[in-house]
Amino acid sequence: ENSDPRYLALAIEKIVAEELLRRLDGNDFKIDAGSACGGGVLSPSHVLNAMGLGVDGHIRITLKKEHSQRDVIDLATRISDAVSELRA
């Protein structure tokens, strides 16, 4: 009720967010590393740390009304594949 459905934040353990972003480059989604409250600072977010999320793989995805359910499923598959590659 108090959230914005256009934004999705993920914390993926044992992944460097910037490496994941490189593998996801070239998609139709806006994806950033870190927390929105970090303001582009590369140091760990105090907010994410306070939530107990540590420093691993924080990404934010912005959804648009033009994105279909299929687009989101395809992105989820790409994220899963990229995480598997990075952990291999």
Side-chain angles (χ1 to χ4, degrees):
E1 182 175 315
N2 293 326
S3 64
D4 189 331
R6 296 174 296 166
Y7 304 108
L8 173 65
L10 302 173
I12 305 170
E13 291 183 281
K14 300 177 184 169
I15 292 294
V16 175
E18 289 77 12
E19 291 294 324
L20 179 58
L21 292 181
R22 281 190 203 88
R23 294 184 185 265
L24 297 175
D25 191 30
N27 64 66
D28 190 35
F29 289 84
K30 181 174 179 356
I31 305 175
D32 295 306
S35 70
C37 56
V41 177
L42 293 178
S43 60
S45 160
H46 67 281
V47 173
L48 294 174
N49 282 332
M51 294 171 62
L53 295 175
V55 297
D56 291 341
H58 301 288
I59 62 171
R60 299 182 325 275
I61 302 167
T62 302
L63 302 172
K64 301 178 197 170
K65 63 181 177 181
E66 296 85 16
H67 291 131
S68 68
Q69 182 176 5
R70 180 79 250 157
D71 294 334
V72 175
I73 291 169
D74 290 346
L75 177 62
T77 300
R78 289 184 63 207
I79 291 170
S80 178
D81 291 347
V83 168
S84 294
E85 289 174 14
L86 288 167
R87 287 185 176 160

